[in-house]
Amino acid sequence: MTTTAVSTGVAVRLEEVSRRFGTVQALDGLDLDLAPGELVALLGPSGCGKTTALRILAGLEDADSGRILVGGKDVAGVPVNRRDMGMVFQAYSLFPHLTAAENVEFGLRLRRQSAAARRRRALEMLELVGIGTHAARFPQQLSGGQQQRVALARALAIQPQVLLLDEPLSALDAKVRLQLRDEIRRIQLEVGTTTLFVTHDQEEALALADRVGVMQAGRLEQIGSPEDIYRNPATPFVASFVGLSNRLAGVLGADGVSVLGTPLPVLNASVAPGPVEALVRPESVDLTADPLADARVVAVSFLGPLARVTVSLPDETLVVAQVSSARLADLPPGTAVRVTLLPIPVVVSSPR
Amino acid sequence: MAGLVRRRARRQAVLRWVVVGVLSFVFLLPLFALLEFTTRGPGDTLTWDTWRLLVDWPALEETYPVLWTGMKASFWLVLLSVALTLVLLVPTVVWVRLRLPRLRRLVEFLCLLPLTIPAIVLVVGLAPVYAWVVYFVGGSSVTLFLAYTILALPFAYRAIDTGLSAIDVRTLAEAARSLGAGWLTVMWRVVLPNIRSAVLSAAFLTVALVLGEFTIASLLNRDNLQVAINQLGKSSATISFAVSLAALVLAFVLLYLLSFVGRRRRRERSVP
Ligand SMILES: Nc1ncnc2c1ncn2[C@@H]1O[C@H](COP(=O)(O)OP(=O)(O)OP(=O)(O)O)[C@@H](O)[C@H]1O
Ligand SMILES: [Mg+2]
């Protein structure tokens, strides 16, 4: 579709990066590796240091300690404007006095390309992000989604070594967000730029990334493929932050944890045997209508092909189960159900 | 009910026009009086001689050397004050916003300070400073631009600060930097074009202030337009009033242009 030269991405490595703001330890020995051409999503709750990590990589912020290697070279002391990284910000950041095309040309102009080459490249990039027809518009005449597309085109036009995206979709409405998310992935695969994508939206991270890094309090809790993060969370934090989890009481023994009478394999090691909480995914919970059982359906929410059914156990614990919508007819609120757990590995934590 | 509301609306409209009418009468009457006075010939005839002289500069210089000196001084004062104010203020305010947000209150305080100091007090402070200025660069009236820059700071600061508040300077600067721009490029290609109207406002306000300044120039024994007008007023009232009127009108025109600048930019944006 385009003549975009496929830039072979570079490897990026953050080693033991720390940064403190006053009393806040924003980054606390962050280690992160990005393979050439890879898209890594940094996921974490608000204030966990995602933006700080990205800004330090970009050179907009200095690290207190640690090293940053881009393509094997330490970039300490290289200012932002020499780091050759394309950035898309959460806030709209187009230059208000320039048209969409001129915005995209901005970086090329600084690279002393001829007017004709600039123009051509700008249109090509706007084409790539799907708004070639709006090249002559000013930012104020574009919707939020269109502005972020232009911002993406502007960042990509300079063929950066690394692409940095800081919650570029969070100001957009749900539908535009889904659409643009998929396009960012398509474009990223097409140009092959190593990309770091920061978000607090787990769905976005899981849908978009080659690998997802889950952060908490300035450190990386776990990094792995979306599937890995979801199925094999390494810590209770990851299990509860990514996807829904039921917190159910259980007893940890030598060969697993026993929850509701079912023995389940355990993913994480460092918890003392005895009473624990197990984090059980809704899809690991199975329900069978049984007039003799003592659990009751209390609420049902329909999600399309799937549905979530909330069940109250005799001790008043609430358990959420995910079932196929086809089975809802058998499970109206008030139904007596038997709750069984599938033998899928779970994460346990010490009881709170 | 509806009739009552309509009647009240009409009454308010009438009141509004009455207020505007009275105010503009009070305001314009002295100006008309000035115009009338400066065009009054011998035996109550209408003559434009004074005004003709005002645009015939060689003749003006010959007839009223004091006025000519004052006008020349004010011309340079305007140019230098505007230049120094902008050169000092624009980079400082932008830099503080980008890099030293904690200093913002302090800079604002410093810039607004001259507003709170009476001119007399300012002169008392400036006199010894100007002793040094005279020692180093001579006693030309044009050196007043240093004092005028201080006087203009509060107004120029307000204008520029307002302009900067309207854009997200920080994000724009970071975006530009990530695209490869150095600080000079950020300033010249990104910040300035977006606060153009604010910078123009600051310049116009400085011009208006310098054209109208009398106290400091007079107390420091310098010549500028207003000092000349005052001196001339004693000997040749007609020309001094004509110059006052011209200066006033020039200031109005500048202020009018100022409001026009902001408006035109906004309209430009909304055209698809
Ligand atoms: N310039 C700064 N000055 C002081 N504290 C800061 C600064 N930047 C970040 N912090 C603090 O560092 C911590 C991490 O901030 P950061 O912006 O990296 O979080 P985040 O993970 O991006 O959060 P969010 O999802 O809300 O954007 C926060 O507690 C924040 O208050
Ligand atoms: Mg953030």
Side-chain angles (χ1 to χ4, degrees):
Chain A
M1 157 187 170
T2 67
T3 55
T4 308
V6 173
S7 51
T8 40
V10 298
V12 174
R13 185 185 185 96
L14 277 70
E15 279 177 6
E16 284 288 318
V17 175
S18 292
R19 175 71 159 109
R20 172 184 278 279
F21 294 107
T23 57
V24 182
Q25 191 72 46
L27 288 184
D28 185 13
L30 176 72
D31 284 308
L32 185 62
D33 267 303
L34 286 83
E38 190 183 30
L39 193 159
V40 169
L42 270 188
L43 176 65
S46 191
C48 70
K50 307 179 295 288
T51 297
T52 307
L54 184 115
R55 289 173 61 84
I56 286 178
L57 179 52
L60 290 169
E61 207 87 67
D62 291 323
D64 296 334
S65 62
R67 291 208 308 161
I68 295 160
L69 305 170
V70 176
K73 280 200 228 46
D74 194 330
V75 293
V78 180
V80 198
N81 49 339
R82 302 260 168 68
R83 286 214 181 171
D84 200 16
M85 296 188 184
M87 250 186 122
V88 179
F89 299 79
Q90 176 176 356
Y92 299 134
S93 61
L94 295 186
F95 306 126
H97 64 298
L98 300 178
T99 63
E102 287 164 350
N103 262 280
V104 179
E105 284 179 42
F106 187 89
L108 305 173
R109 182 172 212 176
L110 295 172
R111 283 162 181 72
R112 311 212 178 284
Q113 293 194 7
S114 74
R118 271 181 353 226
R119 192 84 199 155
R120 204 171 337 109
R121 174 102 181 131
L123 288 178
E124 187 182 301
M125 294 321 292
L126 288 173
E127 215 57 74
L128 178 70
V129 298
I131 49 168
T133 52
H134 293 355
R137 293 217 187 163
F138 284 97
Q140 289 90 332
Q141 298 159 342
L142 297 171
S143 72
Q146 291 167 339
Q147 289 192 41
Q148 289 303 65
R149 284 169 193 265
V150 178
L152 183 64
R154 183 176 69 178
L156 286 171
I158 59 173
Q159 293 184 302
Q161 296 197 67
V162 183
L163 183 61
L164 303 173
L165 309 168
D166 188 3
E167 310 204 23
L169 307 177
S170 67
L172 308 178
D173 65 58
K175 198 164 168 208
V176 181
R177 208 147 134 173
L178 285 185
Q179 200 186 352
L180 197 46
R181 177 179 95 188
D182 294 343
E183 279 191 52
I184 287 182
R185 181 52 164 165
R186 168 183 68 79
I187 293 164
Q188 192 267 341
L189 287 173
E190 193 172 320
V191 299
T193 310
T194 311
T195 303
L196 185 62
F197 186 103
V198 159
T199 176
H200 61 254
D201 181 340
Q202 44 146 323
E203 202 190 311
E204 207 165 278
L206 296 178
L208 199 69
D210 291 310
R211 285 190 304 149
V212 176
V214 182
M215 281 185 71
Q216 190 201 6
R219 337 194 79 232
L220 205 55
E221 283 270 316
Q222 183 179 3
I223 183 159
S225 69
E227 199 180 333
D228 199 29
I229 293 282
Y230 188 80
R231 286 196 202 291
N232 305 314
T235 66
F237 174 81
V238 176
S240 55
F241 191 78
V242 182
L244 273 181
S245 286
N246 293 294
R247 289 184 166 266
L248 300 177
V251 178
L252 185 60
D255 51 351
V257 60
S258 164
V259 184
L260 300 176
T262 312
L264 301 175
V266 173
L267 286 166
N268 55 335
S270 58
V271 178
V276 290
E277 268 185 345
L279 286 92
V280 182
R281 299 277 188 212
E283 58 270 30
S284 310
V285 182
D286 196 24
L287 304 176
T288 326
D290 177 353
L292 298 179
D294 47 11
R296 292 272 178 282
V297 174
V298 292
V300 171
S301 62
F302 178 74
L303 306 172
L306 296 173
R308 292 224 171 94
V309 180
T310 310
V311 173
S312 169
L313 301 180
D315 63 359
E316 310 240 304
T317 313
L318 294 179
V319 180
V320 177
Q322 182 168 300
V323 300
S324 142
S325 304
R327 295 181 52 204
L328 280 186
D330 299 336
L331 301 166
T335 316
V337 289
R338 202 171 55 237
V339 178
T340 46
L341 302 183
L342 308 179
I344 295 174
V346 296
V347 166
V348 296
S349 69
S350 316
R352 283 192 287 195
Chain B
M1 189 66 203
L4 197 75
V5 171
R6 207 175 317 130
R7 218 173 316 140
R8 188 177 327 147
R10 192 157 355 113
R11 216 166 43 217
Q12 282 180 352
V14 169
L15 187 68
R16 206 157 43 224
W17 283 112
V18 168
V19 170
V20 169
V22 169
L23 279 182
S24 34
F25 181 73
V26 170
F27 189 68
L28 289 178
L29 187 65
L31 297 187
F32 272 117
L34 274 176
L35 187 63
E36 198 275 336
F37 181 77
T38 54
T39 53
R40 196 188 295 164
D44 281 353
T45 53
L46 184 72
T47 165
W48 292 98
D49 285 351
T50 313
W51 289 94
R52 233 171 264 132
L53 181 61
L54 210 56
V55 288
D56 183 1
W57 289 354
L60 184 68
E61 183 179 1
E62 206 168 305
T63 327
Y64 300 109
V66 175
L67 180 63
W68 184 249
T69 315
M71 277 168 75
K72 259 196 322 194
S74 276
F75 173 78
W76 288 113
L77 280 171
V78 162
L79 274 191
L80 289 171
S81 307
V82 168
L84 184 62
T85 307
L86 294 184
V87 164
L88 268 185
L89 208 54
V90 175
T92 312
V93 175
V94 171
W95 193 253
V96 166
R97 241 175 213 261
L98 288 177
R99 305 299 296 261
L100 309 161
R102 260 174 303 165
L103 287 187
R104 202 169 143 211
R105 291 270 152 263
L106 179 70
V107 170
E108 181 169 12
F109 174 75
L110 284 179
C111 285
L112 297 186
L113 206 55
L115 211 53
T116 64
I117 302 176
I120 299 286
V121 179
L122 215 53
V123 168
V124 172
L126 281 173
V129 176
Y130 266 94
W132 284 100
V133 173
V134 172
Y135 181 76
F136 282 114
V137 296
S140 160
S141 293
V142 174
T143 54
L144 273 179
F145 79 95
L146 296 169
Y148 287 176
T149 298
I150 296 175
L151 285 190
L153 275 185
F155 307 99
Y157 174 82
R158 275 264 141 262
I160 290 169
D161 193 59
T162 309
L164 281 175
S165 300
I167 55 171
D168 185 351
V169 204
R170 233 199 148 106
T171 308
L172 293 186
E174 285 179 353
R177 304 251 305 137
S178 77
L179 290 168
W183 283 116
L184 265 180
T185 315
V186 168
M187 200 70 186
W188 198 249
R189 288 260 185 78
V190 177
V191 179
L192 271 182
N194 284 300
I195 58 167
R196 206 187 51 154
S197 59
V199 171
L200 274 176
S201 313
F204 283 164
L205 288 170
T206 309
V207 172
L209 184 125
V210 173
L211 279 185
E213 212 290 323
F214 170 75
T215 321
I216 292 186
S218 165
L219 291 176
L220 286 178
N221 279 323
R222 306 295 149 114
D223 302 317
N224 73 359
L225 182 65
Q226 298 296 335
V227 170
I229 288 175
N230 183 49
Q231 270 178 30
L232 224 56
K234 291 163 192 155
S235 55
S236 157
T238 311
I239 186 74
S240 94
F241 285 2
V243 175
S244 308
L245 185 57
L248 256 178
V249 169
L250 183 62
F252 288 157
V253 167
L254 283 179
L255 288 175
Y256 175 73
L257 283 181
L258 189 151
S259 66
F260 188 66
V261 164
R263 202 153 347 119
R264 209 193 52 194
R265 265 175 64 83
R266 241 170 286 137
R267 210 178 300 137
E268 214 171 60
R269 294 274 169 252
S270 55
V271 176

